[in-house]
Amino acid sequence: LFRSARGNPLLTTAGADQAVSALAPGGNMEGKEVRFGIANTALFAVVTTAASCGAINGWLDSFTPLGGLVPLANMQLSEVVFGVRTLALAGCKTVILTNAAGGVGDGLVPGDLVAITDHINLVGRNPLVGTNDDRFGPRFPDLSAVYPQRMRDIVAKSAAEAGSDYQEGIYAWLLGPSYETPAEIQMLRSMGASMVGMSTVPEAIALAHMGVPVIGISLVTNLAAGLSPEPLSHEEVTEIRSEEHT
């Protein structure tokens, strides 16, 4: 659906309008599974890190991007969040955001899945900067419940039914692409963060602006800097992520 708009990261072509119409209530995709490939879909711009690539699976009422965008290639945050905004406008009532993250909190180990309770934006960027589009939401939106308790309760129940451990934590967003220093990790620990990563927060802010509840889940792929004697590597991140997919 979105390939007709490929090459235009803002999706201002008729191809985008066609896609949104198909996904909207009454469209020919209503009630059907929606499947996209992040790496070759203009809607989600260009993913430049292997750990962020994957399929997107979802339904109109619940949409799950498997792998967030890491805004490293001079991307504007308006491009980063355009995908989730499109799905929200098409009628999505809940969005599940997943990411690969470094474990900061005590007791976390690679392979743990952690539900996000809140986030800390340490990048100094926000997708809502600029002229506000009142069709999306208010100029100064409330972010006190971006990841609502009622949504986390659903995740906890699902984890229990699957026999999986349920954990919660605060996600800290740093820009990257370098990993954090041990001193930065100690700072994050003192601030109450349990995970650290380079994605997710822009999309969560944009969705909160539009009144769409978010479920955030981090896959801990490595212990953060200074918490393990081993140096950090992107290979470790992709290896753990691949194991979880299989």
Side-chain angles (χ1 to χ4, degrees), residues 1 5 9 29 40 47 49 56 88 127 138 141 150 164 166 172 184 187 197 201-202 211 217 224 233 235 237 246:
L1 286 172
M29 289 296 291
N40 60 5
V47 177
T49 58
I56 297 177
R150 68 181 187 281
S164 299
Y166 177 77
E184 289 169 337
M187 175 192 71
V201 171
I217 300 176
S233 71
E235 289 72 22
V237 172
T246 57

Side-chain angles (χ1 to χ4, degrees), residues 147-197:
Y147 314 89
Q149 179 67 56
R150 68 181 187 281
M151 295 297 167
R152 302 202 306 274
D153 289 344
I154 295 173
V155 176
K157 180 180 179 182
S158 297
E161 292 174 350
S164 299
D165 293 335
Y166 177 77
Q167 302 183 74
E168 294 186 341
I170 296 172
Y171 178 85
W173 179 38
L174 275 72
L175 182 60
S178 60
Y179 290 112
E180 302 73 32
T181 68
E184 289 169 337
I185 294 304
Q186 290 305 313
M187 175 192 71
L188 296 179
R189 285 170 64 89
S190 70
M191 297 173 71
S194 297
M195 300 85 68
V196 60

Side-chain angles (χ1 to χ4, degrees), residues 44-222:
F44 292 91
V46 178
V47 177
T48 56
T49 58
S52 294
C53 293
I56 297 177
N57 303 278
W59 299 85
L60 187 60
D61 287 343
S62 179
F63 186 74
T64 309
L66 299 180
L69 283 178
V70 181
L72 302 180
N74 297 320
M75 294 177 65
Q76 298 297 316
L77 290 190
S78 59
E79 298 174 62
V80 172
V81 304
F82 194 90
V84 293
R85 278 178 170 164
T86 299
L87 270 296
L89 289 174
C92 237
K93 299 179 179 65
T94 306
V95 174
I96 304 172
L97 301 175
T98 66
N99 62 58
V104 176
D106 292 333
L108 293 180
V109 296
D112 282 351
L113 292 170
V114 187
I116 300 174
T117 61
D118 205 346
H119 68 244
I120 303 173
N121 181 354
L122 294 173
V123 171
R125 298 173 65 188
N126 190 304
L128 307 185
V129 169
T131 303
N132 187 62
D133 190 331
D134 294 332
R135 296 173 298 175
F136 291 164
R139 169 75 282 185
F140 302 104
D142 175 35
L143 296 184
S144 59
V146 178
Y147 314 89
Q149 179 67 56
R150 68 181 187 281
M151 295 297 167
R152 302 202 306 274
D153 289 344
I154 295 173
V155 176
K157 180 180 179 182
S158 297
E161 292 174 350
S164 299
D165 293 335
Y166 177 77
Q167 302 183 74
E168 294 186 341
I170 296 172
Y171 178 85
W173 179 38
L174 275 72
L175 182 60
S178 60
Y179 290 112
E180 302 73 32
T181 68
E184 289 169 337
I185 294 304
Q186 290 305 313
M187 175 192 71
L188 296 179
R189 285 170 64 89
S190 70
M191 297 173 71
S194 297
M195 300 85 68
V196 60
M198 307 174 193
S199 66
T200 303
V201 171
E203 293 94 333
I205 292 174
L207 289 165
H209 182 226
M210 299 179 73
V212 177
V214 173
I215 294 174
I217 300 176
S218 291
L219 167 63
V220 177
T221 53
N222 57 277

Side-chain angles (χ1 to χ4, degrees), residues 18-33:
Q18 175 188 0
V20 171
S21 297
L23 289 169
N28 58 24
M29 289 296 291
E30 183 181 14
K32 298 180 181 179
E33 184 178 6

